[in-house]
Amino acid sequence: MQNADMKPNRLFSVALSAKSVNRLSAATFEFTYDPDYIEFRKVKTVNNGSKIQVNKKSGKVKVVFLNSEGQNISGGSDVLTLDFKTIKEGTTYIDYTVEQCVNSDVNFIDVGSCTASCVRIYKNASGTVGGASISSNNNKNSTRSTTGKGGKSKHPTEPTTVNASDDKYIDYNPIKDKQIKFFLAGMGITAGCLAVLAVAYAIGKKSAQKKAEKEKNHNDKTLENKTSDD
C-alpha cells in the first residue's frame, strides 16, 4: 500500500497495488486502522470491469473484490484505492489481510509479501502520498494451489512521496449479496461443467477405441476365414 504524509483535517487517498503472473478474479481484503487518527470515507476499484462489496465499521473495512475476466496485474497495478480523512497529529498504519484469492482459471492463488500503509500526520506535512509497495507472488506453481494461502501486511519503513490530490470524495456503490453469490456459484458451476465434460470426453474416447478395436478384430477374423476357404 501507499504511504501518506498529511496535515490534520485533510482528505487523502492511498492505493493498494498487486503484482502476479495470474489474473486476479476474486479476493477478500480486510483493512484495519486507528479511528483516533484517521476516518474512513470510501473505497473503490481501479479497473472498470471490477466490482466490490464493502462492509465497514469503526476501525475496520472488509472488501470483497470480483472481476469475472480477471484483472491483469502482471506488470504491477492498482487494485483498490481507499479514501480517508486525517483527524489528529501522530503516526498510524493502515494494516490489512488478504484471503481467498482466485485467478481467472478458478484456481486459488497463494499470497506473497504484503506491506501496510504508514500515515504520518503533523502540522507542516507535505501533503503527499506514494511509496507503494507491491505485493507479489511470481511462483509459476501458484495456479495449482489448493489452499489459497492468505497474507498479512507488515509495517513499512519511512515513506517516499509523490504528488497527491485532495479531491472531493463521493459515496461508493457496493454490489448486492446475490450478485456475489451468483458470481461465485457461476465459477463453481463452470469448473464443475469442465470436469464433467473432461470425464465424458475420456469415457467417449475409450468407448470409441474399444469399438474400433472390436470392428478390427471382426474384420481380421472374417478375412482369415475367407483366406482359409480359398
Side-chain angles (χ1 to χ4, degrees):
M1 287 190 71
Q2 289 181 310
N3 304 309
D5 195 41
M6 305 298 296
K7 297 178 181 179
N9 199 34
R10 292 293 178 89
L11 293 171
F12 69 99
S13 298
V14 290
L16 180 138
S17 302
K19 183 178 181 180
S20 176
V21 295
N22 298 279
R23 297 179 72 92
L24 182 62
S25 282
T28 299
F29 301 94
E30 186 168 274
F31 300 90
T32 55
Y33 61 94
D34 190 337
D36 290 336
Y37 289 92
I38 56 177
E39 175 187 330
F40 172 75
R41 291 299 184 92
K42 178 189 64 172
V43 58
K44 62 182 179 181
T45 62
V46 176
N47 187 291
N48 292 331
S50 303
K51 295 181 180 180
I52 56 173
Q53 180 173 347
V54 181
N55 183 10
K56 60 178 181 177
K57 58 182 179 180
S58 181
K60 187 178 293 185
V61 181
K62 190 170 185 177
V63 181
V64 177
F65 169 90
L66 298 171
N67 186 312
S68 58
E69 295 182 356
Q71 181 176 336
N72 184 1
I73 54 175
S74 60
S77 61
D78 293 346
V79 177
L80 301 171
T81 58
L82 295 94
D83 290 2
F84 292 89
K85 181 181 178 181
T86 56
I87 298 174
K88 66 178 183 180
E89 293 189 16
T91 298
T92 188
Y93 294 92
I94 304 170
D95 292 298
Y96 68 96
T97 58
V98 54
E99 298 176 336
Q100 300 171 339
C101 281
V102 178
N103 65 15
S104 54
D105 293 323
V106 202
N107 291 313
F108 283 113
I109 307 173
D110 284 343
V111 180
S113 61
C114 304
T115 305
S117 173
C118 177
V119 183
R120 300 191 304 170
I121 309 166
Y122 55 100
K123 186 191 299 185
N124 297 321
S126 59
T128 54
V129 296
S133 178
I134 294 181
S135 169
S136 64
N137 184 352
N138 290 321
N139 186 346
K140 292 181 179 179
N141 294 324
S142 59
T143 55
R144 300 176 185 174
S145 170
T146 57
T147 60
K149 184 179 179 181
K152 184 176 182 180
S153 64
K154 296 180 180 180
H155 291 171
T157 55
E158 292 296 317
T160 55
T161 58
V162 294
N163 291 334
S165 174
D166 288 342
D167 292 339
K168 208 170 184 180
Y169 68 89
I170 57 173
D171 290 333
Y172 59 83
N173 293 311
I175 61 177
K176 297 179 180 179
D177 288 345
K178 287 184 179 180
Q179 288 179 292
I180 290 181
K181 291 178 181 178
F182 288 152
F183 178 76
L184 294 177
M187 289 198 300
I189 291 170
T190 299
C193 289
L194 290 174
V196 170
L197 288 173
V199 172
Y201 173 76
I203 293 173
K205 184 177 180 180
K206 191 173 182 179
S207 297
Q209 288 176 340
K210 285 185 177 180
K211 185 177 179 180
E213 186 177 351
K214 187 176 180 180
E215 289 179 355
K216 182 177 181 299
N217 291 336
H218 176 73
N219 292 336
D220 289 345
K221 190 174 181 180
T222 301
L223 181 60
E224 184 180 348
N225 291 337
K226 185 178 180 181
T227 303
S228 299
D229 293 340
D230 292 342

